[in-house]
Amino acid sequence: MTTSPQATEPANSADHADQAGPGAAPDATNSAAAQKRVLLAKPRGYCAGVDRAVDTVEKALETYGPPVYVRKEIVHNKHVVQTLEERGVIFVEEASEVPEGALVVFSAHGVSPAVHEEAKNRNLRTIDATCPLVTKVHKEVNRFARDDYDILLIGHEGHEEVEGTSGEAPDRVQLVDKPEDVDKVDVRDPNKVVWLSQTTLSVDETMERVDQIKDRFPDLQAPPSDDICYATSNRQVAVKAMAAECDLVLVVGSQNSSNSKRLVEVAMQAGATDAHLVDSAEQIEESWFDDVSTVGVTSGASVPDVLVMQVLDHLAERGWGDVEEVTTANEKVSFALPRELRKDLKDNPDSPKGVR
Ligand code: SF4
């Protein structure tokens, strides 16, 4: 699985990653037990899909005024959710909780056709902030279901994205989460099986699961293009490039953020001595710094950089003020706002920020 060439540009030659390279020997750690430094991963934080989803809710607030209802957390980040709540957003679990005729925004993780139908039946005005890269996977499900394939969706049970994607063709999709799920899969024709995946998985673990499925179904078909998105894979590549040099890696992200949790796992697999997921600087524990000289810092795709800056301040106060950025890619991706919102922004020239 590779990073989409449209999504990134190569890191420039002055970057740390080009000097040390992924998997470089942890010489600095050995030779300078006393030298405190921070390696800061780039890319990190907000991806194009999260940026668009948060922007959508902010512009909906400006254009229509509060309250704006949002089904599920718009993105999986506590800070973002709390900030929007303070501005008049009401988060609900289901469209059935939204008053008839009100405005509801669907989150970046996507929704099933059944949710669209329910919103329609309740006369809700909807803005769909599903990330276009999640929509791409929904379209793949529809296409393969139409061609009568059994679809094995690799993903985490109960995750909103998986529920939305499976909901496109519930009678054709089977979820493969744990290794033991592969043995439970039941297909009609072993020559017509395709695997697809959640967008925010560990690239390496997903390929392990694919190999396992292939042992059962040698003619297994692959997705037409990578389902794990550019942002997820880029953040994993960046953390891998620095992990072996780190005594401690701090991943800023919320517990329910799939891509953030994967960064902790990837850091440990790539050689970090210790790694923790923290929502913010307040959650960092002093005991984690015992015998630590190099601290790696990164963040999940739903994390605003202000939280990373607070972590850097927290580290600087403890002597880790020397920060070196480890750049493995420069991202240039952005998505247009949802069509239904763009239309209203165009029709409303007084809108404070206009059309993006
Ligand atoms: Fe889209 Fe990937 Fe960001 Fe999810 S992590 S919102 S799929 S760009």
Side-chain angles (χ1 to χ4, degrees):
M1 194 155 298
T2 54
T3 303
S4 162
Q6 288 90 31
T8 57
E9 286 182 351
N12 71 50
S13 59
D15 294 322
H16 168 93
D18 288 335
Q19 296 158 22
D27 53 322
T29 306
N30 295 338
S31 63
Q35 205 217 323
K36 291 178 166 184
R37 64 173 183 156
V38 174
L39 299 181
L40 178 62
K42 186 183 170 195
R44 64 177 179 276
Y46 266 22
C47 61
V50 164
D51 192 36
R52 172 185 187 257
V54 175
D55 207 13
T56 295
V57 177
E58 288 176 344
K59 286 211 164 48
L61 278 169
E62 291 166 8
T63 307
Y64 311 110
V68 168
Y69 290 84
V70 177
R71 183 185 176 274
K72 309 280 186 189
E73 293 187 350
I74 185 71
V75 298
H76 285 156
N77 185 265
K78 262 190 193 171
H79 173 86
V80 172
V81 167
Q82 279 167 7
T83 306
L84 290 173
E85 271 174 341
E86 284 160 15
R87 294 184 56 191
V89 172
I90 299 176
F91 290 94
V92 295
E93 278 305 297
E94 294 303 336
S96 57
E97 297 166 49
V98 181
E100 287 252 347
L103 173 73
V104 62
V105 179
F106 294 142
S107 78
H109 307 102
V111 294
S112 68
V115 173
H116 281 288
E117 193 58 31
E118 185 180 21
K120 196 171 154 201
N121 292 340
R122 292 179 58 72
N123 294 319
L124 303 182
R125 287 189 297 148
T126 59
I127 298 177
D128 190 354
T130 302
C131 175
L133 300 182
V134 174
T135 302
K136 178 186 84 89
V137 184
H138 282 225
K139 286 181 178 161
E140 288 170 359
V141 168
N142 279 319
R143 181 190 132 193
F144 284 106
R146 240 185 352 259
D147 292 346
D148 209 25
Y149 275 76
D150 278 302
I151 299 161
L152 306 185
L153 179 65
I154 304 175
H156 296 303
E157 192 165 9
H159 191 280
E160 284 147 50
E161 182 187 323
V162 161
E163 287 173 358
T165 307
S166 310
E168 291 288 348
D171 52 344
R172 289 285 175 269
V173 176
Q174 295 176 70
L175 182 65
V176 176
D177 183 348
K178 312 239 159 22
E180 55 270 28
D181 294 340
V182 175
D183 293 332
K184 296 179 197 155
V185 164
D186 182 23
V187 304
R188 294 161 302 152
D189 177 355
N191 299 314
K192 280 195 97 169
V193 185
V194 61
W195 72 272
L196 302 176
S197 87
Q198 190 179 331
T199 56
T200 50
L201 302 181
S202 150
V203 174
D204 296 339
E205 267 183 31
T206 302
M207 293 322 291
E208 278 171 27
R209 204 69 73 245
V210 170
D211 288 343
Q212 214 192 330
I213 299 172
K214 262 192 190 154
D215 286 343
R216 273 200 70 191
F217 309 113
D219 291 330
L220 180 71
Q221 196 160 320
S225 60
D226 296 344
D227 287 342
I228 296 180
C229 76
Y230 80 95
T232 298
S233 47
N234 282 353
R235 279 150 193 69
Q236 289 174 17
V237 168
V239 83
K240 267 188 196 176
M242 67 185 196
E245 296 185 67
C246 296
D247 307 304
L248 168 67
V249 171
L250 298 174
V251 178
V252 186
S254 292
Q255 284 296 337
N256 60 347
S257 163
S258 172
N259 79 86
S260 303
K261 282 168 88 170
R262 303 293 81 79
L263 288 173
V264 175
E265 293 164 5
V266 169
M268 291 302 287
Q269 285 156 5
T273 311
D274 194 11
H276 295 275
L277 183 64
V278 291
D279 250 309
S280 61
E282 290 87 70
Q283 290 184 352
I284 297 171
E285 294 180 19
E286 296 303 320
S287 61
W288 296 347
F289 295 113
D290 291 348
D291 301 322
V292 165
S293 58
T294 301
V295 181
V297 176
T298 186
S299 57
S302 46
V303 178
D305 221 36
V306 63
L307 298 179
V308 175
M309 295 306 125
Q310 286 167 7
V311 165
L312 294 183
D313 288 345
H314 184 96
L315 291 170
E317 283 162 16
R318 285 154 183 79
W320 280 272
D322 173 14
V323 180
E324 192 179 343
E325 206 161 54
V326 179
T327 306
T328 50
N330 292 306
E331 293 179 344
K332 303 283 179 198
V333 182
S334 66
F335 297 128
L337 288 167
R339 193 182 308 123
E340 51 276 38
L341 179 60
R342 284 203 314 260
K343 182 183 166 301
D344 279 355
L345 288 175
K346 252 184 211 152
D347 292 346
N348 177 10
D350 296 333
S351 167
K353 291 192 181 168
V355 183
R356 191 169 103 171

